[in-house]
Amino acid sequence: MSIRPVLETRRARPTMEGAGVHLHRAFGFTDPSECDPFLMFDDFRGERPSDYMAGFPWHPHRGIETITYVLAGEVTHGDSLGNSGTLGAGDVQWMTAGSGILHQEMPRGNAKGQMHGFQLWANLPSSLKMTAPRYQDVKGKDIPEITDDDGTTVRVIVGEFWGKRGPVDGIAADPQYLDVSIPPGVKKTIRIDTYRRAFAYVFQGSAFFTDAAAPQGVLLEKEVMGEEVNIRDLSGNRTLVRFGTGDEITVQAGEEGVRFLLISGAPIEEPVAWHGPIVMNTQEELRTAMMELRNGTFIKPQH
């Protein structure tokens, strides 16, 4: 067995998307090879409806898959294929945009006005860029949840883990998407397929992600959003942890425990031509997509 080294930790950066949704972006719109096959990861949460109610009005996608995971509040959605629905707390939607889709996503808070969710973009290989669009909506009650003897709990959203398989299937990146909760002070080793690119995103509590080179925990950047931080600090709320190669990670939960997403997938290693919500392989394919948006041929007939 080999423990994956920690390549980097960094805090998600505040940004604004859609019609004015305040969110934090862990990665995206910089180096698409960094987390290949994943392109972008956003954490959208708020206590005030004004931070998220404007939502994400109608917009196109092509060449990618988007994964939305809701923890609090709701997200209503609709698309150009006539699909519509509502994602509640614990629910997941995996949308394969493929050849092209227009959709909208509108967040709503819970009774206390709280909204929290994540959106991950996964790239599609060139052979599937123009595949037929499809949705997979999964209710929280249908997502397997496993609790180990030490109190560690894992929700298996995609892929297989500890003998359970997540309900989302047929995804090009063949990913594993886990929601992991580890009790205070517990040290846990988690297996990851050697051939997958992997990252963790901490959103509650804190932890050390240890390896042989850094037995006391990962090093955070000395400067995060203009503030000095302890370079031996634990990886805490809104921290992205990128791993190198190996077949397992080791996590030491902090005094409040930790909850994080652990996501991995097989890298595609193809050229990326990216403009906003459209991700293709060449600039010519991007130009074609933009032309089709203008002349009304972006949405392809479904047979």
Side-chain angles (χ1 to χ4, degrees), residues 195-239:
Y195 299 102
R196 297 171 184 266
R197 199 74 55 80
F199 69 89
Y201 182 76
V202 178
F203 62 93
Q204 189 174 307
S206 59
F208 288 122
F209 289 81
T210 61
D211 59 47
Q216 300 303 311
V218 297
L219 301 179
L220 287 176
E221 295 174 344
K222 289 188 177 181
E223 179 135 341
V224 177
M225 293 167 56
E227 299 176 3
E228 285 293 319
V229 298
N230 183 342
I231 64 169
R232 284 292 181 185
D233 202 356
L234 296 126
S235 295
N237 185 23
R238 296 193 176 106
T239 300

Coordinates of all heavy atoms in Angstrom, one line a residue, residues 195-239:
Y195 N -5.2 4.6 -10.2 CA -5.2 5.2 -11.5 C -6.1 6.4 -11.5 O -6.3 7.0 -12.6 CB -5.6 4.2 -12.6 CG -4.6 3.1 -12.6 CD1 -4.9 1.8 -12.0 CD2 -3.3 3.3 -13.2 CE1 -4.0 0.8 -12.1 CE2 -2.4 2.2 -13.2 CZ -2.7 1.0 -12.7 OH -1.8 0.0 -12.7
R196 N -6.7 6.8 -10.4 CA -7.6 8.0 -10.4 C -6.9 9.2 -9.9 O -6.1 9.1 -9.0 CB -8.8 7.7 -9.5 CG -9.7 6.5 -9.9 CD -10.7 6.2 -8.9 NE -11.5 5.0 -9.2 CZ -12.7 5.1 -9.8 NH1 -13.2 6.3 -10.1 NH2 -13.4 4.0 -10.1
R197 N -7.3 10.4 -10.4 CA -6.9 11.7 -9.9 C -7.9 11.9 -8.7 O -9.1 11.7 -8.8 CB -7.1 12.7 -11.0 CG -6.4 14.0 -10.8 CD -4.8 13.9 -10.9 NE -4.4 13.4 -12.2 CZ -4.3 14.1 -13.3 NH1 -4.7 15.3 -13.4 NH2 -3.8 13.6 -14.4
A198 N -7.4 12.5 -7.6 CA -8.2 12.6 -6.4 C -8.0 13.9 -5.7 O -6.9 14.5 -5.7 CB -8.0 11.4 -5.4
F199 N -9.1 14.4 -5.1 CA -9.1 15.5 -4.2 C -10.1 15.4 -3.1 O -11.1 14.7 -3.2 CB -9.3 16.8 -5.0 CG -10.7 17.1 -5.5 CD1 -11.6 17.7 -4.8 CD2 -11.0 16.7 -6.8 CE1 -12.9 18.0 -5.3 CE2 -12.3 16.9 -7.3 CZ -13.2 17.5 -6.5
A200 N -9.9 16.1 -2.0 CA -10.8 16.2 -0.9 C -11.2 17.7 -0.8 O -10.5 18.6 -1.1 CB -10.3 15.7 0.4
Y201 N -12.5 17.9 -0.3 CA -12.9 19.2 0.0 C -13.6 19.2 1.3 O -14.6 18.6 1.6 CB -13.9 19.7 -1.1 CG -14.4 21.1 -0.8 CD1 -13.6 22.2 -1.1 CD2 -15.6 21.4 -0.3 CE1 -13.9 23.5 -0.9 CE2 -16.0 22.7 0.0 CZ -15.2 23.8 -0.3 OH -15.6 25.1 -0.1
V202 N -12.9 19.9 2.3 CA -13.4 20.0 3.7 C -14.4 21.1 3.8 O -14.2 22.2 3.4 CB -12.2 20.2 4.6 CG1 -12.7 20.4 6.1 CG2 -11.2 19.1 4.5
F203 N -15.6 20.8 4.3 CA -16.6 21.8 4.5 C -17.2 21.9 5.9 O -18.1 22.7 6.2 CB -17.7 21.6 3.5 CG -18.5 20.4 3.6 CD1 -19.7 20.3 4.3 CD2 -18.1 19.2 2.9 CE1 -20.4 19.1 4.4 CE2 -18.8 18.0 3.0 CZ -20.0 18.0 3.7
Q204 N -16.7 21.1 6.8 CA -17.1 21.1 8.2 C -16.0 20.5 9.1 O -15.5 19.5 8.8 CB -18.4 20.3 8.3 CG -19.1 20.4 9.7 CD -20.5 19.7 9.6 OE1 -21.3 19.9 8.8 NE2 -20.7 18.8 10.6
G205 N -15.8 21.2 10.2 CA -14.7 20.7 11.1 C -13.3 20.9 10.5 O -13.1 21.8 9.6
S206 N -12.4 20.0 10.9 CA -11.0 20.2 10.3 C -10.3 18.8 10.5 O -10.7 17.9 11.2 CB -10.2 21.2 11.1 OG -10.2 20.9 12.5
A207 N -9.2 18.7 9.8 CA -8.4 17.5 9.8 C -7.0 17.7 9.3 O -6.8 18.6 8.5 CB -9.1 16.4 9.0
F208 N -6.1 16.8 9.6 CA -4.8 16.7 9.0 C -4.9 15.6 7.9 O -5.4 14.5 8.2 CB -3.7 16.3 10.0 CG -3.3 17.3 10.9 CD1 -3.4 17.1 12.3 CD2 -2.8 18.5 10.4 CE1 -3.0 18.1 13.2 CE2 -2.4 19.5 11.3 CZ -2.5 19.3 12.7
F209 N -4.5 15.8 6.7 CA -4.4 14.8 5.7 C -2.9 14.5 5.6 O -2.1 15.2 5.1 CB -4.9 15.3 4.3 CG -6.4 15.5 4.3 CD1 -7.0 16.6 4.9 CD2 -7.2 14.5 3.8 CE1 -8.4 16.7 4.9 CE2 -8.6 14.6 3.8 CZ -9.1 15.7 4.3
T210 N -2.5 13.4 6.2 CA -1.1 13.1 6.5 C -0.5 12.2 5.4 O -1.2 11.4 4.7 CB -0.9 12.4 7.9 OG1 -1.6 11.2 7.9 CG2 -1.4 13.3 9.0
D211 N 0.8 12.3 5.3 CA 1.6 11.3 4.5 C 3.0 11.2 5.1 O 3.3 11.9 6.1 CB 1.7 11.7 3.0 CG 2.3 13.1 2.8 OD1 3.3 13.4 3.4 OD2 1.7 13.9 2.1
A212 N 3.8 10.4 4.6 CA 5.1 10.1 5.1 C 6.0 11.4 5.2 O 6.8 11.6 6.1 CB 5.9 9.0 4.3
A213 N 5.8 12.3 4.2 CA 6.6 13.5 4.1 C 6.2 14.6 5.1 O 6.9 15.5 5.4 CB 6.6 14.0 2.7
A214 N 4.9 14.5 5.5 CA 4.4 15.5 6.4 C 3.6 14.9 7.5 O 2.4 14.9 7.5 CB 3.5 16.5 5.6
P215 N 4.2 14.1 8.4 CA 3.5 13.4 9.4 C 2.6 14.2 10.4 O 1.7 13.7 10.9 CB 4.6 12.7 10.2 CG 5.8 13.5 10.0 CD 5.7 14.0 8.6
Q216 N 2.9 15.5 10.5 CA 2.1 16.3 11.4 C 1.0 17.0 10.6 O 0.3 17.8 11.2 CB 3.0 17.4 12.0 CG 4.1 16.8 12.8 CD 3.6 15.9 13.9 OE1 2.7 16.3 14.6 NE2 4.2 14.7 14.0
G217 N 0.8 16.7 9.4 CA -0.3 17.3 8.6 C 0.2 18.1 7.5 O 1.4 18.4 7.3
V218 N -0.7 18.5 6.6 CA -0.3 19.2 5.4 C 0.0 20.6 5.7 O -0.4 21.2 6.7 CB -1.5 19.2 4.4 CG1 -1.8 17.7 3.9 CG2 -2.7 19.8 5.0
L219 N 0.8 21.2 4.8 CA 1.1 22.7 4.9 C 0.1 23.5 4.1 O -0.1 23.3 3.0 CB 2.5 22.9 4.4 CG 3.7 22.1 5.0 CD1 5.0 22.5 4.3 CD2 3.8 22.4 6.5
L220 N -0.5 24.4 4.8 CA -1.3 25.4 4.1 C -0.5 26.5 3.5 O 0.6 26.7 4.0 CB -2.3 26.0 5.1 CG -3.5 25.1 5.6 CD1 -4.3 25.8 6.6 CD2 -4.4 24.7 4.4
E221 N -1.0 27.2 2.5 CA -0.3 28.3 2.0 C -0.2 29.3 3.1 O -1.0 29.5 4.0 CB -1.2 28.9 0.9 CG -1.4 28.1 -0.4 CD -2.3 28.7 -1.3 OE1 -3.1 29.6 -1.0 OE2 -2.4 28.2 -2.5
K222 N 1.0 30.1 3.0 CA 1.2 31.0 4.1 C 0.2 32.2 4.1 O -0.1 32.8 5.1 CB 2.6 31.6 4.0 CG 3.7 30.5 4.4 CD 5.0 31.2 4.5 CE 6.1 30.1 5.0 NZ 7.4 30.7 5.1
E223 N -0.3 32.5 2.9 CA -1.2 33.6 2.8 C -2.5 33.1 2.1 O -2.4 32.5 1.0 CB -0.6 34.7 2.0 CG -1.6 35.9 1.8 CD -0.9 37.2 2.1 OE1 0.2 37.2 2.7 OE2 -1.4 38.2 1.6
V224 N -3.6 33.2 2.7 CA -4.9 32.8 2.2 C -5.9 34.0 2.2 O -6.2 34.5 3.3 CB -5.5 31.6 3.0 CG1 -6.8 31.2 2.4 CG2 -4.5 30.4 2.9
M225 N -6.3 34.4 1.0 CA -7.2 35.5 0.9 C -6.7 36.7 1.7 O -7.5 37.4 2.4 CB -8.6 35.1 1.4 CG -9.2 34.1 0.5 SD -10.7 33.3 1.2 CE -11.7 34.7 1.6
G226 N -5.4 37.0 1.7 CA -4.8 38.2 2.3 C -4.6 38.0 3.8 O -4.2 39.0 4.5
E227 N -4.8 36.8 4.4 CA -4.7 36.7 5.8 C -3.5 35.6 6.1 O -3.4 34.6 5.4 CB -5.9 36.1 6.5 CG -7.1 37.1 6.3 CD -8.4 36.5 6.9 OE1 -8.3 35.4 7.4 OE2 -9.4 37.1 6.8
E228 N -2.7 35.9 7.1 CA -1.7 35.0 7.5 C -2.4 33.8 8.2 O -3.3 34.0 9.0 CB -0.7 35.7 8.5 CG 0.2 36.6 7.8 CD 1.2 35.9 6.9 OE1 1.7 34.8 7.3 OE2 1.5 36.4 5.8
V229 N -1.9 32.6 7.9 CA -2.4 31.4 8.6 C -1.3 30.6 9.1 O -0.1 30.7 8.7 CB -3.3 30.5 7.7 CG1 -4.5 31.3 7.2 CG2 -2.5 30.0 6.5
N230 N -1.5 29.8 10.1 CA -0.5 28.9 10.7 C -0.2 27.9 9.6 O -1.0 27.2 9.2 CB -1.1 28.3 11.9 CG -0.1 27.4 12.7 OD1 0.9 27.0 12.1 ND2 -0.4 27.1 13.9
I231 N 1.1 27.8 9.3 CA 1.5 26.8 8.2 C 1.3 25.4 8.7 O 1.4 24.5 7.9 CB 2.9 27.1 7.7 CG1 3.9 26.8 8.8 CG2 3.0 28.4 7.1 CD1 5.4 26.8 8.3
R232 N 1.1 25.1 10.0 CA 0.8 23.8 10.5 C -0.7 23.7 10.8 O -1.1 22.8 11.6 CB 1.7 23.4 11.7 CG 3.1 23.1 11.3 CD 3.2 21.8 10.5 NE 4.6 21.5 10.2 CZ 4.9 20.4 9.5 NH1 4.0 19.6 9.0 NH2 6.2 20.2 9.2
D233 N -1.5 24.6 10.3 CA -2.9 24.6 10.6 C -3.5 23.3 10.0 O -3.1 22.7 9.0 CB -3.5 25.8 9.9 CG -4.8 26.2 10.5 OD1 -5.3 25.5 11.5 OD2 -5.4 27.2 10.1
L234 N -4.6 22.9 10.6 CA -5.4 21.9 10.1 C -6.1 22.4 8.8 O -6.4 23.6 8.7 CB -6.5 21.4 11.1 CG -6.0 20.8 12.4 CD1 -6.6 21.5 13.6 CD2 -6.4 19.3 12.4
S235 N -6.5 21.4 7.9 CA -7.3 21.8 6.8 C -8.7 21.9 7.3 O -9.3 21.0 7.7 CB -7.2 20.7 5.7 OG -5.9 20.6 5.2
G236 N -9.2 23.1 7.2 CA -10.6 23.4 7.8 C -11.6 23.8 6.7 O -11.4 23.5 5.5
N237 N -12.6 24.5 7.2 CA -13.8 24.8 6.3 C -13.3 25.4 5.0 O -12.5 26.3 5.0 CB -14.7 25.7 7.1 CG -15.9 26.1 6.4 OD1 -16.4 25.3 5.5 ND2 -16.5 27.2 6.7
R238 N -13.9 24.9 3.9 CA -13.7 25.4 2.5 C -12.2 25.2 2.1 O -11.6 26.1 1.4 CB -14.1 26.9 2.4 CG -15.6 27.1 2.6 CD -15.9 28.5 2.1 NE -17.4 28.8 2.1 CZ -17.9 29.5 3.0 NH1 -17.2 30.1 4.0 NH2 -19.2 29.7 3.0
T239 N -11.6 24.1 2.5 CA -10.2 23.8 2.0 C -10.2 22.7 1.0 O -10.8 21.6 1.2 CB -9.3 23.4 3.2 OG1 -9.3 24.5 4.2 CG2 -7.9 23.1 2.8

